[in-house]
Amino acid sequence: MSSQLTCVGWVGRGVAKETPDKVELSPEELQRIIAETKAELGERACGDDEEEDEGIAGEQELSDSPAEDAQVPKDENEEGREEDDELAEYGLDKYDDEDTVASNLGDSLAGLTVYSSNAEDPYITIKDTDQYEREDFQIKPNDNLILTGRAEKDCCNLEIYVYNSEENSLYVHHDILLPAYPLCVEWLNFDPNPTETYVNYAAVGNMTPQIDVWDLDVVDCLEPAFSLGSKKASKKKKKSKKAAAEPIEGHTDAVLDLSWNRLVRNILASGSADETVILWDLSQCKPATTLHRHTDKVQTLAFHPFEAQTLISGSYDKTTVLYDCRSPDSCRTWRFSGQVERLAWNHFSPCNFLASTEDGFVYCLDARSDKPLFTLKAHDEEVSGLVLSSQIKGCLVTSSSDKHVKVWDILGNKPNLVHSRDMKMGVLFCASCCPDLPFVYAFGGQRDGLRVWDISDVAAVAEVFGSRERLVVNTASEASSSAGSADMEVS
């Protein structure tokens, strides 16, 4: 498997520490982490050994006859003689007998000049590399962070990029080794410790039932700040019926998507392959509510930007469900032509949301109505990225498994294609818009790593959206006003 970017997310300016902390482990902490890792690897090895033992037993039953076994040494001897003949021409057996000529140490060092410092050496143009490293390590007030989940053959990482549009710079600041294949990432700023008022965290969902929350302001960290659920939940599911009856706090399968509630900061929603949606109380690190409204994997979900109680989820069962989290039993359901890939609230029209499906369609719906406002055949294959501009009304960007990114103008619920581009990244898995720069998008795909694209560089995009008013969405100030003017009807 080549290197893939499976998920991507942005962190706004001014959030991260100017100088991130570095981990300094005591010998006791290091030994504890090593012991826990060995124990976990040992459990996995036991399961693998059982499977190998079964395979070996089967091979022994199918062993060859004695006559065939006796023939094997003869063939091996013949092969050995052929190899000796091929190597004889190189005289390797007399290699140690050859005369060696001692070289003069002075001759080998001739022309080598040693300078007392890099400043005196004329061949070194960068005199103080430490200064450049310190500058790259520091995060400026006008820097954005980009979070990406990278999956390679031997390991998986959460990479933290620094992006500065004014300097046109993009580089990996640091990365975090992940325990499993990453599937989703969500930034949040809540810590269960009441003494922590403001933090810079990233929650990562992966192929295990456990959600790990990492501190982005700490470099070289080996453990998450805290975790939700347990990896052992999936193992319990495979045991006897008696063991399966035991209550499990959290998911029992892979976590496919996450959504943090920016209005009620201690709530995080997660959708899983176990067909459930869980609302986590981060102050307790425990599930507050588990929603069972889908009959297949829950692939996407999103909290409303202005209404703390409103949540939507989409599933492989081709449905989207709207919840009022104050009364989880009441919900509204829409059915589509294919599996629901992505969902996005329209933060400029609070009652509207967008849904994309595996068959290439994009739907715009009013949460108060059953019929879509428009249906758009956006791509030839599944629409894996569905992102509205953070500040430009009507600017929609979609990405797909058909390897293309498309820019749409959906103002007035009349979608028009503005631009289409083959990103040359293979299958596209994810897309996200910068919260501070409304035309800057990040994409991840099958190859070539992270791609950041300012779509305003395209003449057609600049012509359509360049003069359109930029609207800055402030969820904190608009939350109360929208509650009265744009309440959603739930039936």
Side-chain angles (χ1 to χ4, degrees):
M1 179 183 68
S2 59
S3 177
Q4 300 178 346
L5 286 190
T6 57
C7 52
V8 63
W10 289 82
V11 179
R13 292 174 175 175
V15 171
K17 278 187 179 180
E18 180 181 357
T19 304
D21 301 324
K22 289 188 176 181
V23 171
E24 294 183 2
L25 292 176
S26 65
E28 293 78 11
E29 290 175 327
L30 186 59
Q31 288 298 326
R32 177 182 60 81
I33 293 173
I34 293 174
E36 291 176 356
T37 304
K38 284 183 177 179
E40 184 177 342
L41 293 175
E43 292 178 2
R44 295 179 183 177
C46 289
D48 295 340
D49 290 343
E50 291 177 1
E51 295 178 0
E52 291 178 1
D53 291 342
E54 293 175 0
I56 292 172
E59 291 176 1
Q60 289 177 346
E61 293 175 0
L62 299 175
S63 60
D64 297 329
S65 61
E68 293 175 346
D69 293 341
Q71 189 67 24
V72 172
K74 183 177 179 181
D75 294 340
E76 291 178 352
N77 291 335
E78 291 178 358
E79 292 177 0
R81 283 195 297 272
E82 291 177 0
E83 291 179 1
D84 292 340
D85 293 340
E86 293 176 358
L87 297 175
E89 61 179 300
Y90 299 104
L92 296 180
D93 54 336
K94 299 179 181 179
Y95 180 79
D96 295 331
D97 299 335
E98 294 180 0
D99 296 332
T100 57
V101 180
S103 60
N104 189 342
L105 182 59
D107 294 339
S108 63
L109 296 179
L112 178 62
T113 305
V114 179
Y115 296 91
S116 60
S117 67
N118 289 343
E120 299 177 5
D121 193 336
Y123 295 101
I124 297 180
T125 56
I126 301 177
K127 304 300 181 181
D128 185 5
T129 56
D130 292 340
Q131 178 183 354
Y132 290 93
E133 291 177 0
R134 285 194 299 270
E135 290 178 358
D136 287 343
F137 188 73
Q138 290 182 343
I139 297 175
K140 301 175 184 177
N142 60 343
D143 284 341
N144 284 102
L145 299 186
I146 306 177
L147 314 177
T148 65
R150 179 182 293 274
E152 298 183 1
K153 183 178 180 180
D154 299 324
C155 64
C156 297
N157 296 287
L158 176 66
E159 293 184 332
I160 295 88
Y161 285 80
V162 172
Y163 174 73
N164 190 297
S165 60
E166 298 172 8
E167 300 175 0
N168 195 26
S169 63
L170 176 69
Y171 61 91
V172 177
H173 185 274
H174 64 282
D175 62 0
I176 298 170
L177 186 64
L178 297 177
Y181 189 95
L183 298 173
C184 53
V185 61
E186 179 79 348
W187 180 82
L188 54 91
N189 74 344
F190 183 86
D191 189 280
N193 187 349
T195 60
E196 297 286 347
T197 56
Y198 195 88
V199 291
N200 182 24
Y201 285 172
V204 179
N206 54 52
M207 292 296 288
T208 74
Q210 181 172 292
I211 302 167
D212 293 324
V213 182
W214 301 88
D215 191 342
L216 301 177
D217 288 334
V218 177
V219 177
D220 299 331
C221 59
L222 300 177
E223 294 181 304
F226 61 94
S227 297
L228 305 172
S230 172
K231 294 179 182 178
K232 297 180 180 179
S234 59
K235 297 180 182 179
K236 291 180 181 179
K237 192 176 180 181
K238 298 177 183 178
K239 292 183 180 180
S240 63
K241 294 181 180 179
K242 185 177 181 180
E246 298 177 5
I248 297 173
E249 289 194 347
H251 291 295
T252 58
D253 209 335
V255 178
L256 304 182
D257 200 17
L258 297 166
S259 181
W260 176 57
N261 195 321
R262 295 173 181 269
L263 303 176
V264 183
R265 294 171 50 243
N266 65 309
I267 299 297
L268 177 73
S270 60
S272 171
D274 65 10
E275 304 175 7
T276 66
V277 173
I278 292 182
L279 303 181
W280 297 88
D281 182 355
L282 299 180
S283 61
Q284 303 291 329
C285 293
K286 293 182 178 180
T289 305
T290 302
L291 306 173
H292 302 268
R293 290 292 177 178
H294 289 289
T295 58
D296 208 334
K297 301 178 182 68
V298 181
Q299 181 156 253
T300 177
L301 73 171
F303 272 113
H304 195 280
F306 310 127
E307 298 179 0
Q309 76 279 4
T310 305
L311 174 74
I312 50 174
S313 63
S315 169
Y316 276 43
D317 61 11
K318 303 182 180 181
T319 66
T320 289
V321 179
L322 172 69
Y323 308 90
D324 183 340
C325 296
R326 298 169 300 186
S327 178
D329 292 335
S330 63
C331 63
R332 188 171 200 151
T333 303
W334 292 264
R335 183 167 293 277
F336 301 99
S337 58
Q339 298 173 2
V340 181
E341 295 289 331
R342 302 302 303 167
L343 293 169
W345 285 103
N346 188 340
H347 41 271
F348 300 109
S349 300
C351 291
N352 297 352
F353 68 90
L354 297 161
S356 67
T357 58
E358 64 170 342
D359 51 0
F361 282 93
V362 171
Y363 299 85
C364 180
L365 299 110
D366 188 321
R368 301 163 296 185
S369 174
D370 293 330
K371 295 181 179 180
L373 300 175
F374 69 76
T375 300
L376 170 66
K377 178 60 175 177
H379 292 270
D380 296 329
E381 298 181 25
E382 66 184 59
V383 182
S384 56
L386 183 70
V387 189
L388 286 163
S389 171
S390 56
Q391 299 174 22
I392 306 298
K393 189 175 183 179
C395 181
L396 171 67
V397 172
T398 59
S399 62
S400 170
S401 297
D402 65 10
K403 308 176 184 179
H404 285 76
V405 168
K406 295 183 179 181
V407 182
W408 306 86
D409 181 8
I410 62 170
L411 196 64
N413 296 323
K414 297 177 181 179
N416 293 308
L417 179 63
V418 178
H419 182 70
S420 177
R421 174 177 293 186
D422 185 347
M423 299 297 286
K424 308 296 184 184
M425 299 170 65
V427 175
L428 295 170
F429 297 135
C430 51
S432 183
C433 181
C434 178
D436 304 298
L437 302 166
F439 290 116
V440 177
Y441 289 77
F443 302 93
Q446 193 174 15
R447 60 175 184 268
D448 293 345
L450 174 68
R451 185 77 56 83
V452 177
W453 181 23
D454 186 344
I455 62 173
S456 64
D457 292 338
V458 179
V461 174
E463 181 181 354
V464 173
F465 300 108
S467 59
R468 195 168 293 183
E469 183 182 2
R470 296 192 180 192
L471 305 176
V472 179
V473 177
N474 188 342
T475 56
S477 62
E478 295 186 22
S480 57
S481 62
S482 65
S485 61
D487 278 346
M488 293 191 175
E489 298 176 8
V490 180
S491 59

